[in-house]
Amino acid sequence: MIDHVRPAQLSDWFAQALAEGQPLLLDVREPWELQTASVRTDGFELVAIPMGELPGRLAELDPSRPLACLCHHGARSLRVAAFLAQQGFGTLANITGGIDAWSREHDTSVPRY
């Protein structure tokens, strides 16, 4: 199952996920998007792997670790979360609204694009 979490709810999701391991935020946006707008890590680890590179870099991720996926608006990250679920990843969340919602709801210093 994939949880759908708004950016404002992410810290609560991370706190619950700690029971299953150290949570990770997976940013699946392209490098130019990361340069345009990025989240500040505050109590969580962030790994950036563009969606197109993920199949070849899957070994970099631990399937037993809780993982929340982030993209621009939430569509790519939902596809990645579904792919990861098919690969045996257990605790997954999609950050609904993506970095755009992050900027509006959680940290207004993050530029919108």
Side-chain angles (χ1 to χ4, degrees):
M1 182 176 83
I2 299 167
D3 294 325
H4 296 271
V5 179
R6 298 295 301 184
Q9 303 164 320
L10 187 60
S11 60
D12 291 339
W13 187 85
F14 278 153
Q16 290 176 339
L18 270 173
E20 298 179 38
Q22 186 63 39
L24 175 71
L25 184 117
L26 175 64
D27 194 327
V28 300
R29 295 176 299 137
E30 296 297 318
W32 71 266
E33 292 178 283
L34 295 172
Q35 291 175 349
T36 302
S38 293
V39 300
R40 281 180 284 169
T41 56
D42 185 17
F44 59 88
E45 183 181 348
L46 172 76
V47 171
I49 302 175
M51 185 173 108
E53 294 179 17
L54 191 60
R57 297 178 60 186
L58 197 57
E60 295 177 32
L61 301 173
D62 179 353
S64 67
R65 221 172 150 182
L67 202 139
C69 300
L70 175 73
C71 70
H72 189 201
H73 287 291
R76 280 179 285 174
S77 54
L78 181 57
R79 287 177 57 201
V80 166
F83 169 76
L84 292 172
Q86 291 173 345
Q87 304 305 310
F89 285 71
T91 305
L92 295 164
N94 180 52
I95 301 175
T96 306
I99 191 83
D100 188 67
W102 188 286
S103 176
R104 288 183 285 111
E105 299 172 12
H106 186 69
D107 183 355
T108 56
S109 70
V110 174
R112 292 181 68 201
Y113 64 98

